[in-house]
Amino acid sequence: MGERSGVVVVGSANLDVVLAVEEIPRPGETVLARSRAEHVGGKGLNQAVAAARCGAATTFVGAVGDDGAGRRLREALAGAGVEVRTRLLERPTGTALITVAASGENAIVVDPGANAGLTDLGPAELDVVRGAGHLLCQLEVPPATVAAAAAAAVSSGVVVVLNPSPVQPLPAGLLGDVDVLLVNEHEAAALSGPRAGDGVEHAGSAVERARTLVRRLLPDVPAVVVTLGAGGALVAVRDGAPDGVHVPGLPVEAVDTTGAGDAFGGALVAALEEARAHDGRAGGGAPGEAVLVAAARTATAAAALSVQRHGAATSAPHRADVEALLRESPGRR
């Protein structure tokens, strides 16, 4: 087996159409937008750009349409320093319709377009996956493709990080190939399912609910990171602290939360890959608790910077800005 390095992202690429509104409309309600903008996006593209901006050698594997939007997405990836391995398909490039409220909260509807056409990975694409240090996937491309990528990664000692968003049924065996599960509270609850008497519905805080949820998930995966929005993240590994480790959020004024979770995911994997390369760790498997906590601190800072900017991929911060914020924040290193 040859030397592995860098981050490979297998995922989606979309053109985001963003409508700024005072409040996100309720069912049956019509509201007027204050402005309209277009940005490059898609969870896979966003996370690839975030990882590259945080210093990781990053390759993106996905699919776009052979149209103007697809060319724009490919140029944006290349411009961020990402190696582009996208298929050109005879279907429209994926599109996301995003409403952003004055509070910074958002609601998103995605038309997968070409992303849905990534129904398998060819030999060359699988070789790219096998050559990585870390594989990062989401669920805006067919889950069977994600499962194939994860299986190829595990067979070659690549660390697999799965962000199961949007949450949906997973192919049999996929969780068994995951080293780090990256979820928000909603995704964690959906994946773990209800457990009578465990009290998650009545827990008093987001951190307490997350602790209950990771106890449900750790039998299936060796490490879990639950993002908590402004509250930071909870990191839990099987052999670590019984209640996990809470990484506090950074107090900032949010203007657009659209890309925050993806900025977190890309920065997290970039930090994990840097730690793996620094330690000379050749094999796969989940990182230790200390390494994962340190990576989550970096990712939390990246997310805090992201919400202060508009757009998704465009809001992902560069490594120098993340490091500066960490230096300015006592106890963050």
Side-chain angles (χ1 to χ4, degrees):
M1 182 63 60
E3 182 179 352
R4 292 176 297 277
S5 65
V7 171
V8 170
V9 178
V10 174
S12 59
N14 295 322
L15 183 66
D16 292 347
V17 179
V18 182
L19 301 175
V21 296
E22 186 61 30
E23 293 183 350
I24 294 171
R26 297 181 293 272
E29 182 182 18
T30 299
V31 300
L32 294 178
R34 298 178 300 180
S35 65
R36 170 192 167 111
E38 292 185 354
H39 305 285
V40 298
K43 293 191 70 64
L45 182 148
N46 295 342
Q47 292 177 3
V49 169
R53 288 186 174 178
C54 282
T58 306
T59 302
F60 175 77
V61 176
V64 297
D66 189 8
D67 52 25
R71 289 188 289 274
R72 182 173 174 181
L73 299 183
R74 288 164 60 87
E75 290 169 0
L77 283 162
V82 177
E83 182 179 349
V84 182
R85 296 292 190 97
T86 54
R87 296 184 190 177
L88 296 178
L89 302 182
E90 293 183 358
R91 58 174 73 189
T93 294
T95 304
L97 302 177
I98 304 171
T99 55
V100 180
S103 65
E105 292 301 311
N106 63 74
I108 305 173
V109 177
V110 176
D111 171 18
N115 296 303
L118 191 70
T119 55
D120 61 6
L121 295 179
E125 292 161 330
L126 291 172
D127 284 345
V128 169
V129 169
R130 295 185 184 105
H134 281 76
L135 170 69
L136 173 60
C137 298
Q138 325 75 32
L139 295 179
E140 287 185 343
V141 296
T145 303
V146 172
V154 168
S155 70
S156 299
V158 179
V159 181
V160 178
V161 181
L162 175 65
N163 175 210
S165 177
V167 68
Q168 56 188 291
L170 300 180
L174 175 55
L175 278 184
D177 288 335
V178 172
D179 297 302
V180 180
L181 187 68
L182 173 60
V183 286
N184 61 24
E185 184 180 340
H186 164 72
E187 292 154 359
L191 285 175
S192 63
R195 301 287 192 279
D198 67 6
V200 66
E201 297 82 3
H202 308 293
S205 71
V207 174
E208 291 169 345
R209 291 194 298 273
R211 285 174 174 152
T212 299
L213 290 168
V214 296
R215 284 195 289 270
R216 297 177 179 177
L217 291 168
L218 284 176
D220 297 321
V221 290
V224 182
V225 178
V226 182
T227 57
L228 302 171
L234 183 73
V235 175
V237 301
R238 281 179 184 161
D239 299 326
D243 288 330
V245 178
H246 178 221
V247 177
L250 295 173
V252 296
E253 184 175 347
V255 298
D256 184 357
T257 61
T258 303
D262 296 334
F264 186 105
L268 179 82
V269 176
L272 290 175
E273 173 60 14
E274 182 174 357
R276 185 198 67 83
H278 180 268
D279 295 341
R281 188 160 65 95
E289 181 179 76
V291 170
L292 193 53
V293 168
R297 290 195 178 104
T298 297
T300 300
L305 290 168
S306 170
V307 300
Q308 298 177 73
R309 307 167 183 174
H310 289 283
T314 53
S315 71
H318 291 84
R319 176 173 178 156
D321 296 327
V322 175
E323 291 179 341
L325 181 57
L326 288 169
R327 287 194 299 270
E328 295 166 3
S329 305
R332 297 295 293 182
R333 281 293 192 186

